[in-house]
Amino acid sequence: ADCILVATGVAYRLLEVDGLARFVGAGVYYGAALSEARLMAGEEICVVGGANSAGQAALYFSRFARRVRLIVRASSLSVAMSHYLIGQIMATENIDVLCHTQVVEAHGGIALEAVTIIDTLTGTRETVPARALCVFIGATPRTDWLAELLARDEQGYVLTGPDIGPEGRAPGRPLEREPYLLEASVPGIFAAGDVRANSVKRVASAAGEGAMSVQFIHQYRRER
């Protein structure tokens, strides 16, 4: 091939909890399950995570659920969440923020019914009802197979366009031009979507980048 488009996305980090795996899709969701939100009317749910995506999900679910527990491993939300989100969460009566807390067990029949949580400071355990558990603990691009070929950031996301910088270009293959916006450190290799460094992690953005990359690929091939 004279061109390659890397669009492998990311893999959500899994929450390693006893009994959780069998409820994936039946009460346990990685990333937003906003399509399920209206079905949670009057229910109690849990959101795991301390960054903006978890905060946004908690606020959205609070519009429908009777109670939302935001479960955070850190000592406070300010470690990784924007101040404007923290303010909105604290002003929402049906959101309970549980810091230095972890989920340690999941319970239910054919669907999730409850989770056991532990306060990591005191060791206190409590089983609480949970119609849904939405997990926002990050994702991994899994680009180790590109490690010797392309410049990546510290987390493994593929650097493209101006993010590459002169020092990131492939040894022995200097570009006579600046890389295209979605072009990686090796000429003719492109990246689109969540696997790309500094991309907006949303479906619409990924689809847009995929469409844009086609134009750049045609332009690259015309140059050749």
Side-chain angles (χ1 to χ4, degrees):
D2 58 3
C3 284
I4 297 172
L5 173 61
V6 181
T8 50
V10 294
Y12 286 110
R13 294 184 187 131
L14 301 182
L15 190 63
E16 302 296 335
V17 170
D18 288 344
L20 196 70
R22 69 189 184 96
F23 296 122
V24 173
V28 174
Y29 306 96
Y30 286 91
L34 302 185
S35 59
E36 308 289 332
R38 293 182 184 276
L39 300 178
M40 302 302 163
E43 302 283 357
E44 296 189 27
I45 73 162
C46 294
V47 175
V48 178
N52 285 354
S53 56
Q56 290 164 351
L59 283 169
Y60 185 79
F61 277 107
S62 71
R63 295 163 51 187
F64 305 97
R66 181 169 64 87
R67 186 177 187 182
V68 178
R69 292 181 176 89
L70 181 56
I71 299 172
V72 185
R73 292 182 62 179
S75 58
S76 73
L77 290 178
S78 60
V79 173
M81 191 177 294
S82 299
H83 291 297
Y84 80 93
L85 267 180
I86 296 174
Q88 291 180 44
I89 288 169
M90 293 306 180
T92 304
E93 292 184 357
N94 63 334
I95 297 180
D96 294 338
V97 179
L98 307 177
C99 294
H100 46 77
T101 301
Q102 293 179 238
V103 177
V104 293
E105 197 172 352
H107 313 277
I110 61 173
L112 183 71
E113 297 174 9
V115 296
T116 299
I117 57 178
I118 185 171
D119 184 315
T120 56
L121 291 183
T122 65
T124 303
R125 296 166 68 100
E126 180 184 7
T127 298
V128 299
R131 176 69 176 78
L133 177 71
C134 298
V135 183
F136 297 84
I137 56 174
T140 305
R142 294 185 178 173
T143 54
D144 291 347
W145 57 285
L146 294 169
E148 302 301 320
L149 182 63
L150 300 183
R152 303 177 300 152
D153 68 8
E154 298 81 6
Q155 296 175 297
Y157 291 93
V158 177
L159 295 170
T160 58
D163 290 333
I164 297 170
E167 68 283 352
R169 295 184 179 178
R173 297 193 62 184
L175 286 169
E176 295 180 357
R177 55 166 174 78
E178 292 299 313
Y180 296 131
L181 181 63
L182 301 179
E183 190 172 30
S185 56
V186 174
I189 300 183
F190 299 81
D194 288 4
V195 75
R196 191 177 70 83
N198 299 318
S199 64
V200 178
K201 303 299 187 282
R202 294 290 185 271
V203 171
S205 296
E209 288 187 8
M212 288 170 58
S213 67
V214 175
Q215 177 184 353
F216 291 129
I217 288 170
H218 282 308
Q219 189 168 345
Y220 173 81
R221 299 192 72 228
R222 282 196 299 269
E223 289 177 353
R224 291 172 59 84

